[in-house]
Every structure is written in C-alpha cells, then in structure tokens.
Amino acid sequence: MSEKPWNGRFSEKTDRLVEAFTSSIDIDKRLYPYDIEGSIAHCRMLAKASIISETEAELLIEGLGKIKRELDRGKLTYDDSLEDIHMHIETWLLQEAGMVALKLHTARSRNDQVALDVRMYLRDETQNTIKRLVELRKVIVDLAKVHMDVVLPGYTHLQRAQPVLLSHHLMAYYEMFSRDTDRFSDSLKRINIMPLGSAALAGTTYPIDREYTAKLLNFPKVSANSLDAVSDRDYIIEFLSSASICMVHLSRISEELILWSSSEFGFIELPDSFATGSSIMPQKKNPDVPELVRGKTGRVFGDLTALLTMMKALPLAYNRDMQEDKAALFNTADILKECIEINIHMLPKLTINKLAMQQATTSGFLNATDLADYLVTRGMPFRQAHSCVGNAVSYALKQQKELQELTLKELKSFSSLIKKDVFDVLTTEKMINRRTSFGGTATENVKAAIEAAEKSLDEESKCLQVSTKD
Ligand code: ARG
C-alpha cells in the first residue's frame, strides 16, 4: 500500500476495499499520453511564470519523457492503491526524478487535470472519427457509382411504395453520415477549451499563465469559469450523443442488410468472409456482423443515458461521481470505431442481386402514383385521380394482375383520359427518370448528387491532411 497524498489529515490507512472501490486505473490508464503531455506543458508554464526554476522544469520534463517511453513499451505496472493515472505518473516521477517531482502538482488539481486529459483524448478521438466517417462515405459513394443501373422498390411502412435507384438509396446513407461528420466537426470547438489552471474549483493564487499552457497544447481558448471548467462534462455527453445518432444510422443500414440478405428479399448476399454459419444447421449463412452493429447500438445509447443521469443532479463543482464518465466514453468510442471500420471493409464486398431487385419493382403496384400523376397531367384533380387509380388497383387485385398488365380497354373503363401512351409512363425506368425534382431519384439527379459528394469528400480529405500535418 502506498502513501496517500492526503496522509497528513488522516489517522487511519485507507481500507483495501475502498482502494479497490475508488480506483479507476483500469479504465483511465489509457489517458497516459495526454496526462504526460499536459504535465510537460504545465511544467513549462510554471517555469515561465517563475513558479519553479528552469532547471526544475527540465528535470521534471526529462522524467516525464522517460515514464512515457516506459509506458509505451509496457514496462510499468499499475497498482490499485495509486487510484488513477494522475497519481501513478506522479509517483513514478518521484522515483525517477526525486524530490523535485513534489513540485509538479503546484497550481493544479486532479480536477482540472482530468478535465484536460479527457478533452485532449476526445479531441483526437473526434478527429479520428471524422476521418473514419469520410472513409465510410467514400465507400458508399463508390458503391452508388458502380450500381447506377440497379433499381429496387423504395418502401414506406416496409410495403413496396415506388421504385428508386439503389444508388439513391445508398446516397441517403451518405447524407446521414455527412450530418454525423458535421456534428463531430462542430463539437470540436466546444472540446477545444483548455481547463488547466482552474485548480480544484476556484482558480489559484499562483501567477500562472493559462494562455501559455493553452498555446503549448494547441488549444485556441481557455475556460472562462473555474467552477464550470472542473465540473463540465458537456463535451462527453455531446460526443455520446453524436455517437448515438451515428449508431442509429449504422444500425439502420445494418437492419437493411439483414433484411435484404434474407431469402424473403434476396436482394444482396453478404461476403462469406463477413458472415458466419450455424453450429447445427449446415445451410445457414448468418448476418452476424450487421446484427452485432445493431446490437451494440443499444450499449452506446446506454452510455449516453448513464452520463446524462450521472450529471443531472450534481451540485457544483467536482464530485467523484464524475469518475464514472470515462468507462462510458471509452466504451462508446471503441464501439463506434469498430462499427464504422467493419462497414468500411464489408460494404464494398456485398453482392448486389440486380435481377431480384428489378423484379421486385414490377409487382405490388409501384406505378399507381404514376398512373394518378398521368391523369393529373390530363386535367383530373389529384384527389379524384387518386381514387380512380384506387379503383383500378382494386380491380387488378381481383384479376391477379398488375396495372401494366391490364388492357387499354380495362384501363379506359376507369377514365376516358387514359390513352395508349399510358404504358410508357408505367415502366420502372420512366417512373425513376421522371422524378427530376431536386433530391429525387431520377438518374440525372443521383449522378449530380454523387458528383457533389465526390467533390465534398475530396475537399474534406484535403483539409484532414492539412490538420494531421499540424
Ligand atoms: N480519477 C478522478 C476522475 O477521474 C480524478 C479526479 C479526482 N479528484 C478528486 N478530487 N478525487 O474523476
């Protein structure tokens, strides 16, 4: 059992049960690179403000660098009695650099230190998420580009509704993941605020230079209120919220892959390398990957709920409850990463069953709206046209025929406005290509949407390259 920094005030040793209960090292050890980088900047600032000497700062920085290298090589072991990553590093530094290590924590508290570490971690994680989302969107656009000639029924209420291009359907997901990218990018400006120097809760009596620390750590802004800075976890909640929305999108595409790969649909086949078999039924090929993405979505929602619940009744400022934030944050960040990455690898390998999709557009009266629109262009008010086509559908159902399979005579019996040219309007190709309203499924629109997406992705990739070089 190690000496506690608060020993002076206590007459009893901490119970082992309490040490195990309060320890967060298993979770927060992954923050070590940020903790060390933050401490190095803190030392530089302390020296610049003459709170410690240059020599002391050099010794501290050297020691911290050595600890970092040893941690990178997995050379150091963790101990519950040291509670968290901050106290581990301080203790190792004492062993490494001697008594000067006792000065590292001047003008700082673990409360502002942990806020700094998590903000630095989240800044990296958010940038990496954005990169992964750009990759995923590229994969989707490439698929949409390759499959421009594939049509399938679009659905509402999971009932066949109107035909759409598969590319249009895919580009709907492109839109969702673009909004996700945007959300994560926007959140960066709220993550990128430097809390160090708020100390425990009220600021510090030392003449610190917070702007200098912020500059060293590449933060454009310092936090304006010390109480808020140590008790704010909005940036984590926001990440979990953006991640939850993104997981909704991943879960929805997964659901469609599961449905579409069933024998009932038969629209796609998953690659063997991304499917699993059954231990009992030899014929089975199961969509476990999309199912797990769908399933993991629930865990991410759980993390968001956990954080919102944890924060909702906390008085200012820091409370130990907040230590629970990291398990939720890391869990979600890891799930989001693997779910995006597995889709980046799986989606390009899907087999698209063009014929099955095409055939599905020819039954189920997908052209009923087009017949109504045809009547409207010949002068019938839409509501009347709707009811007239409704009668035609009801009749065709009884005949076990589709609208396009009725004779001209049969069709004319519902309205004399119907002429021979009606059959042209009722084909899948016409139905698609006449939907030229902006954002509609017409081939020319979808081509333009793909071009715009490619342009945007090019620009985004260029920006990402620039920001990584920084
Ligand atoms: N491990 C703690 C956390 O993650 C660090 C801050 C502890 N502060 C304190 N006053 N006990 O929240």
Side-chain angles (χ1 to χ4, degrees):
M1 196 186 298
S2 58
E3 287 286 297
K4 299 282 186 284
W6 54 80
N7 263 356
R9 156 77 175 76
F10 286 66
S11 55
E12 277 185 338
K13 285 202 155 135
T14 316
D15 194 293
R16 280 194 187 283
L17 277 175
V18 173
E19 283 190 340
F21 187 69
T22 54
S23 167
S24 58
I25 188 63
D26 279 349
I27 307 270
D28 60 29
K29 59 186 175 201
R30 67 200 268 177
L31 288 175
Y32 82 83
Y34 305 105
D35 199 74
I36 291 176
E37 200 187 334
S39 287
I40 291 175
H42 183 62
C43 288
R44 295 222 155 92
M45 184 282 290
L46 289 176
K48 181 171 178 275
S50 307
I51 300 167
I52 61 173
S53 72
E54 287 292 346
T55 324
E56 287 170 332
E58 283 318 314
L59 287 171
L60 290 170
I61 291 167
E62 206 185 296
L64 287 164
K66 195 148 177 230
I67 292 168
K68 164 86 169 44
R69 287 191 292 280
E70 287 186 12
L71 281 167
D72 286 345
R73 287 188 287 131
K75 285 274 180 247
L76 296 168
T77 45
Y78 298 100
D79 172 1
D80 259 358
S81 70
L82 289 172
E83 246 185 62
D84 55 25
I85 190 61
H86 326 295
M87 275 162 59
H88 274 81
I89 291 174
E90 223 183 296
T91 308
W92 289 322
L93 190 62
L94 188 62
Q95 289 154 10
E96 189 58 49
M99 296 304 274
V100 67
L102 302 176
K103 296 200 170 187
L104 175 68
H105 215 51
T106 316
R108 185 176 78 168
S109 145
R110 275 188 296 159
N111 298 351
D112 54 348
Q113 188 179 355
V114 73
L116 173 70
D117 292 5
V118 175
R119 281 177 182 275
M120 288 169 72
Y121 159 82
L122 202 52
R123 180 167 66 177
D124 277 358
E125 195 55 40
T126 300
Q127 269 156 354
N128 289 332
T129 305
I130 293 168
K131 279 184 208 149
R132 288 181 202 116
L133 281 170
V134 167
E135 276 309 300
L136 178 63
R137 286 159 58 211
K138 276 188 190 154
V139 163
I140 291 174
V141 171
D142 286 347
L143 266 184
K145 220 173 152 179
V146 173
H147 296 291
M148 273 306 287
D149 58 339
V150 181
V151 294
L152 80 161
Y155 293 80
T156 63
H157 314 268
L158 201 56
Q159 309 286 324
R160 286 182 195 170
Q162 291 171 355
V164 290
L165 286 184
L166 174 64
S167 305
H168 193 50
H169 194 108
L170 289 168
M171 289 302 284
Y173 285 102
Y174 172 85
E175 291 295 325
M176 295 177 224
F177 294 123
S178 299
R179 289 195 295 276
D180 291 326
T181 314
D182 222 45
R183 245 184 298 277
F184 283 112
S185 298
D186 191 64
S187 74
L188 274 171
K189 62 174 180 271
R190 283 172 294 279
I191 296 170
N192 232 346
I193 293 171
M194 209 289 296
L196 205 66
S198 305
L201 75 164
T204 173
T205 54
Y206 297 96
I208 57 172
D209 183 347
R210 300 188 60 210
E211 293 288 348
Y212 183 66
T213 315
K215 204 175 127 212
L216 292 177
L217 295 173
N218 226 343
F219 279 94
K221 242 174 136 177
V222 299
S223 56
N225 181 300
S226 60
L227 287 166
D228 178 46
V230 293
S231 64
D232 171 25
R233 295 292 181 271
D234 291 3
Y235 47 98
I236 301 183
I237 296 177
E238 196 173 345
F239 179 83
L240 297 178
S241 153
S242 304
S244 293
I245 299 174
C246 185
M247 287 300 296
V248 169
H249 301 149
L250 289 165
S251 186
R252 290 185 77 181
I253 199 168
S254 298
E255 171 66 15
E256 298 208 303
L257 297 179
I258 295 163
L259 277 176
W260 288 4
S261 61
S262 69
S263 345
E264 281 70 16
F265 276 81
F267 284 2
I268 58 163
E269 197 182 326
L270 294 173
D272 279 1
S273 51
F274 283 79
T276 46
S278 155
S279 56
I280 173 165
M281 297 168 283
Q283 86 283 12
K284 289 295 288 287
K285 177 170 168 186
N286 295 328
D288 293 33
V289 171
E291 283 174 322
L292 279 168
V293 173
R294 193 176 57 181
K296 284 170 192 283
T297 302
R299 295 176 57 200
V300 171
F301 295 175
D303 289 333
L304 172 62
T305 309
L307 253 272
L308 289 168
T309 313
M310 184 192 89
M311 290 301 292
K312 72 180 266 291
L314 288 188
L316 294 183
Y318 178 82
N319 298 270
R320 192 63 179 271
D321 315 42
M322 290 173 170
Q323 179 168 286
E324 296 297 313
D325 60 0
K326 284 170 283 302
L329 171 60
F330 296 154
N331 183 51
T332 282
D334 294 346
I335 290 177
L336 184 64
K337 173 178 188 281
E338 62 176 358
C339 289
I340 298 175
E341 277 175 357
I342 202 130
N343 272 289
I344 289 174
H345 290 97
M346 179 179 62
L347 292 178
K349 297 204 170 92
L350 296 179
T351 306
I352 306 294
N353 197 345
K354 183 178 164 184
L355 209 64
M357 289 193 187
Q358 159 81 44
Q359 263 164 9
T361 63
T362 58
S363 63
F365 303 98
L366 278 79
N367 47 13
T369 318
D370 292 76
L371 181 55
D373 290 345
Y374 172 90
L375 292 171
V376 169
T377 54
R378 272 144 194 84
M380 192 183 283
F382 182 76
R383 274 288 155 242
Q384 238 172 312
H386 185 286
S387 133
C388 172
V389 177
N391 291 334
V393 168
S394 163
Y395 170 83
L397 273 170
K398 280 184 206 122
Q399 306 293 313
Q400 294 189 324
K401 283 182 176 172
E402 290 292 323
L403 289 176
Q404 70 275 19
E405 289 164 358
L406 297 177
T407 62
L408 184 59
K409 200 168 154 224
E410 284 173 308
L411 284 169
K412 269 179 175 297
S413 72
F414 298 99
S415 167
S416 56
L417 293 174
I418 296 180
K419 301 272 161 355
K420 208 167 124 218
D421 61 355
V422 72
F423 292 105
D424 190 33
V425 166
L426 299 182
T427 62
T428 302
E429 197 205 325
K430 278 281 152 55
M431 284 191 279
I432 288 188
N433 287 331
R434 291 178 66 233
R435 284 185 164 71
T436 51
S437 56
F438 185 76
T441 192
T443 306
E444 59 185 280
N445 289 18
V446 178
K447 272 192 183 146
I450 290 175
E451 262 168 47
E454 284 184 314
K455 206 167 150 233
S456 170
L457 286 168
D458 262 2
E459 277 161 24
E460 288 174 63
S461 303
K462 270 185 213 139
C463 287
L464 285 174
Q465 275 161 17
V466 172
S467 69
T468 329
K469 266 189 220 143
D470 275 352

